[in-house]
Amino acid sequence: MHRLGRWVADHWILAIGLLVLGYLFLPIAVVVGLSFNRPSSRLSYDFNEFTLDNWTSPCGPGDMCDAVVRSVQIGFVATVAATVLGTLMAFAMVRHRFRGRGATNLLIFLPMATPEVVMGSSLLALFVAGGAPLGFWTVVIAHVMFCVSFVVVTVKARLSGLDTRLEEAAMDLYANEWQAFRRITLPLVFPGIVAGALLAFSLSFDDFIITNFNSGTTVTFPMYVWGASQRGIPPQVNVIGTAMFLVSLLLVLGTMVRRRRAVYA
């Protein structure tokens, strides 16, 4: 105990950080544990019995896997559109001076600061007034609306820290503008673009409030979970959540390993 107390006294910042991380990862640990649980009843969420049945039959309950696939499709389309638009906007705001640049910068932050209920109801009013049928594409448009801001902020932060002298040096070595962009700028900015895309996909896949306003009869995974909560959430939902967490973790670890190899190469 004395050694533990001395270690905490010498490393109290690290100890607080570990406690905060433990607090943040506690819900994830519960989800992982419940993915191996056979509940005693449909409305029971306590750990009853260990089983692998949830992992061997993740598509057992109803239309859950259809909802997951639909969320992935919406997230993919919204991510591609938001990443392209957000990257172009970030380059325009960092590399060019134009009238209204400050106002544009402010407008980009509005979707991030606007409550989702307000944005969802506003988009619903817009779609209804325009006569657009609610469904898959209205959800995609709605997701692009709020994902673009996060991509712009992420890519803009990467671009702001980029040394422009690297591009000037490349052009001094007889590279044209396209070659300098492809060989110098894009590789340096690419981690920020990937980070913005992953953040956009996570936000799109996870969104419920805005989707609920504009989905019509389209059911995404969050909406399926909300509907299932009224009659008992199936344990396979925890399997999907654990799988998504593992995929995200593998992507982050892969990026870190690749970066370390590039540094020591």
Side-chain angles (χ1 to χ4, degrees):
M1 291 296 295
H2 176 71
R3 290 184 177 180
L4 179 60
R6 185 174 181 180
W7 184 89
V8 172
D10 294 337
H11 304 84
W12 62 274
I13 296 179
L14 176 61
I16 293 176
L18 292 176
L19 289 175
V20 173
L21 286 176
Y23 174 76
L24 292 176
F25 281 94
L26 182 60
I28 298 176
V30 172
V31 170
V32 174
L34 290 178
S35 68
F36 297 98
N37 178 41
R38 179 183 285 118
S40 56
S41 65
R42 298 185 64 179
L43 296 177
S44 175
Y45 300 105
D46 57 334
F47 195 87
N48 178 56
E49 180 183 354
F50 180 84
T51 181
L52 294 176
D53 294 341
N54 301 328
W55 284 89
T56 56
S57 58
C59 297
D63 300 329
M64 189 185 71
C65 280
D66 294 336
V68 173
V69 171
R70 198 168 294 113
S71 288
V72 171
Q73 292 173 342
I74 292 173
F76 177 78
V77 177
T79 298
V80 171
T83 302
V84 172
L85 294 174
T87 302
L88 294 176
M89 292 173 65
F91 269 94
M93 296 187 63
V94 173
R95 295 297 180 86
H96 300 280
R97 303 288 179 179
F98 55 90
R99 183 175 299 178
R101 184 167 174 262
T104 303
N105 193 26
L106 177 62
L107 290 174
I108 288 174
F109 282 93
L110 284 180
M112 302 172 62
T114 304
E116 290 190 347
V117 173
V118 176
M119 182 177 291
S121 58
S122 301
L123 287 170
L124 175 61
L126 175 64
F127 292 138
V128 171
L134 299 180
F136 181 91
W137 290 109
T138 54
V139 175
V140 170
I141 295 172
H143 285 196
V144 171
M145 290 286 291
F146 67 81
C147 287
V148 165
S149 298
F150 292 92
V151 176
V152 171
V153 171
T154 305
V155 179
K156 185 181 175 184
R158 184 72 178 180
L159 275 172
S160 299
L162 182 64
D163 191 352
T164 56
R165 291 176 296 181
L166 296 173
E167 299 170 274
E168 295 173 358
M171 299 183 77
D172 287 341
L173 295 173
Y174 304 104
N176 56 37
E177 292 184 358
W178 167 246
Q179 290 174 329
F181 174 79
R182 183 170 60 89
R183 295 179 179 271
I184 304 298
T185 308
L186 185 59
L188 292 174
V189 180
F190 189 71
I193 297 175
V194 173
L198 293 176
L199 179 60
F201 182 83
S202 300
L203 293 170
S204 175
F205 187 88
D206 185 60
D207 182 75
F208 170 75
I209 298 177
I210 297 176
T211 303
N212 192 35
F213 275 101
N214 302 280
S215 61
T217 58
T218 301
V219 179
T220 61
F221 181 63
M223 294 183 64
Y224 174 87
V225 175
W226 176 74
S229 64
Q230 303 176 12
R231 57 185 184 277
I233 299 177
Q236 285 84 353
V237 169
N238 300 305
V239 174
I240 301 298
T242 303
M244 294 295 296
F245 171 74
L246 292 177
V247 170
S248 303
L249 184 62
L250 289 175
L251 288 174
V252 172
L253 292 177
T255 303
M256 292 177 61
V257 171
R258 183 179 179 182
R259 184 176 302 175
R260 288 178 64 89
R261 287 180 177 178
V263 170
Y264 293 105

